[in-house]
Amino acid sequence: MHTVDARGLSCPEPVILTRKAVTAGELPCQVLVDNPTARENVTRYAQHQGCQVSVTEENGTYTLTLTK
Amino acid sequence: MELKREKTGIILAGLVIGVIAAVLVVLGNPLNMGFCIACFLRDTAGALGLHSAANVQYIRPEIIGLVLGSFLLATVRKEFGSKGGSAPVTRFVLGFFVMIGCLMFLGCPFRMILRLAGGDLNAVFGLVGFVCGILVGVFFLTRGYSLKRTYQLPALEGRILPVVQVVLLVLLIAAPAFIHFTEAGGGPGAQHAAIAVSLVAGLVVGALAQRTRLCMVGGIRDVVLFREWKLLAGFVAIFASALVCNLILTGATPNVYFKLGMAGQAVAHTDGLWNALGMLLVGFGCVLLGGCPLRQLVLAGEGNTDSAITVIGLVAGAAFAHNFGLASSGEGPTANGKIAVLIGIAVVAIIACCNTFGKKRGE
């Protein structure tokens, strides 16, 4: 599965990287982020694009799995 | 459903913030300056003797409250985390020039909204420049601009700026002789609400901004980039709320809180071109920083040391602006200020290019 590593990147870079993956048709994919703002922003963007988003958290890293 | 809840939350927060901003003016803050991150950091820099403009020296409790409100809520919600290391010197420079742009316009993006809500049409030029600056920043973002990632840091790192705010509060209350305060009637620095009121206002707004991720730059940027209106809704709510309050207060009190026009506005000048260019620099710089000055304070409260460095850059820019005659006044911009804004736009553009196209060559 394609993985977007957006950990540590400031707003709005995680969403831009996610958009790149989504528009390239790389679904399903995983997006890694490490702060709640990025988690919320990526989730919101993905849902706008009609994706299903599931989130898991481990040691401060959120893994968002995007599927259509 | 979740998105609807987020939007409702940010609109309610914006409405509350607009009311607080209007009330602070009634209780003593300068007109259209319930909040101004740039002006308040500048006043605090003056109080600490970092510049000697006697009319703008006061440790603003609103700034203290904003950082501590964010810090406290982030701690309670387990969102506090010390992190940093994403191009701190670049962020300092960007913060410095964002302040130069703010002091050309005479206000940060937050005050720009409050000036519009007070009927100050000079702020329309500022808004046009601000949007243009954001569009230029978005151009670079979509082409890969990045200041690279942050890393986790020892907990103390993220707590230093909030602790500094507590020290500033002690200095404000104790008022030792080495802290400078504008004398009564001596200028905007002498116009302020009571310490406790300003502090509580800052705490509330800081907490609301932390909870909703409110950002003046992010609002327009996200609409352009993703057709996402959430942050802009907060922006509009602040404007609507402050406007309604100003109209009601003008009707219900002997004072004027809403005056439509360009001439004779409080702490403002009528040079449209330089109002626009100043805010263009602010919009451009803030997109590269990832958020407006308010958002930088809130992120610093959450433990982001890159934002703390940005805040220090803003303070340095304010001190420099007043020491070298770069800041505008009601009379208009200065020649030095115009040169500084042009240099600022050039420097920010170079930073944008180096961090967008430079990395493609492996730099």
Side-chain angles (χ1 to χ4, degrees):
Chain A
M1 193 186 298
H2 182 69
T3 300
V4 175
D5 187 355
R7 286 175 294 177
L9 295 179
S10 59
C11 185
E13 289 175 57
V15 186
I16 290 176
L17 293 176
T18 305
R19 181 173 72 170
K20 212 169 155 186
V22 170
T23 53
E26 288 167 335
L27 289 172
C29 74
Q30 285 190 328
V31 183
L32 309 180
V33 295
D34 62 356
N35 66 81
T37 308
R39 181 196 66 207
E40 290 166 15
N41 290 344
V42 171
T43 301
R44 198 182 314 116
Y45 170 76
Q47 287 174 343
H48 267 177
Q49 304 309 308
C51 298
Q52 307 272 341
V53 183
S54 63
V55 185
T56 56
E57 194 257 331
E58 195 178 344
N59 298 328
T61 296
Y62 301 94
T63 302
L64 289 75
T65 306
L66 279 54
T67 52
K68 256 205 172 165
Chain B
M1 197 62 193
E2 180 71 13
L3 179 60
K4 198 173 174 190
R5 202 168 56 87
E6 282 181 19
K7 252 184 194 156
T8 307
I10 201 166
I11 289 170
L12 288 175
L15 294 174
V16 171
I17 291 170
V19 172
I20 292 174
V23 170
L24 282 172
V25 173
V26 175
L27 296 177
N29 278 19
L31 269 176
N32 301 341
M33 208 190 283
F35 277 93
C36 175
I37 310 307
C39 312
F40 290 1
L41 286 174
R42 181 268 319 274
D43 291 352
T44 301
L48 298 175
L50 299 178
H51 68 72
S52 51
N55 60 335
V56 283
Q57 295 176 322
Y58 178 60
I59 296 176
R60 291 279 178 182
E62 289 90 344
I63 296 289
I64 299 169
L66 285 168
V67 176
L68 293 182
S70 166
F71 171 73
L72 293 172
L73 191 62
T75 302
V76 168
R77 298 183 73 224
K78 299 192 181 349
E79 290 184 356
F80 180 88
S82 284
K83 57 182 71 167
S86 164
V89 179
T90 300
R91 288 178 189 275
F92 176 91
V93 173
L94 288 171
F96 181 97
F97 281 111
V98 163
M99 180 59 88
I100 299 298
C102 286
L103 293 178
M104 167 57 73
F105 170 70
L106 292 174
C108 68
F110 195 166
R111 182 168 190 248
M112 178 179 70
I113 297 304
L114 297 178
R115 281 175 59 174
L116 285 169
D120 179 352
L121 296 180
N122 298 297
V124 173
F125 290 88
L127 180 60
V128 170
F130 187 56
V131 172
C132 291
I134 290 172
L135 292 177
V136 177
V138 166
F139 170 86
F140 287 99
L141 273 179
T142 53
R143 279 156 185 78
Y145 169 85
S146 176
L147 289 181
K148 300 290 187 293
R149 62 163 301 175
T150 58
Y151 295 89
Q152 205 164 349
L153 296 174
L156 177 65
E157 277 291 305
R159 294 195 173 116
I160 290 177
L161 197 77
V163 169
V164 167
Q165 301 308 310
V166 175
V167 173
L168 287 174
L169 183 60
V170 171
L171 289 173
L172 172 64
I173 294 167
F178 60 84
I179 296 294
H180 306 260
F181 292 108
T182 302
E183 288 178 16
Q191 295 173 274
H192 51 80
I195 293 174
V197 172
S198 297
L199 182 64
V200 170
L203 284 166
V204 172
V205 174
L208 289 173
Q210 196 280 336
R211 183 72 188 85
T212 59
R213 328 291 189 203
L214 189 74
C215 176
M216 305 290 161
V217 171
I220 296 168
R221 180 201 63 203
D222 286 358
V223 170
V224 175
L225 267 176
F226 314 119
R227 302 286 177 266
E228 168 56 61
W229 293 83
K230 182 197 138 184
L231 291 177
L232 192 63
F235 204 128
V236 173
I238 293 174
F239 169 74
S241 164
L243 174 65
V244 169
C245 287
N246 286 337
L247 290 171
I248 292 171
L249 288 166
T250 300
T253 68
N255 300 323
V256 177
Y257 297 96
F258 179 88
K259 187 172 91 170
L260 191 64
M262 293 178 70
Q265 296 288 351
V267 198
H269 62 78
T270 56
D271 192 323
L273 174 65
W274 289 97
N275 277 326
L277 286 175
M279 288 311 279
L280 184 149
L281 174 55
V282 174
F284 189 9
C286 287
V287 168
L288 301 190
L289 283 166
C292 69
L294 170 68
R295 182 78 183 135
Q296 298 301 329
L297 285 176
V298 169
L299 286 171
E302 291 178 12
N304 187 322
T305 61
D306 292 327
S307 290
I309 292 289
T310 304
V311 171
I312 294 168
L314 289 165
V315 171
F320 205 87
H322 280 280
N323 284 333
F324 296 93
L326 313 182
S328 302
S329 68
E331 312 286 301
T334 66
N336 287 359
K338 292 176 183 177
I339 294 167
V341 166
L342 294 178
I343 291 172
I345 292 171
V347 170
V348 172
I350 290 167
I351 287 172
C353 288
C354 289
N355 290 286
T356 304
F357 308 114
K359 67 178 182 177
K360 288 177 183 164
R361 298 194 302 270
E363 288 169 23

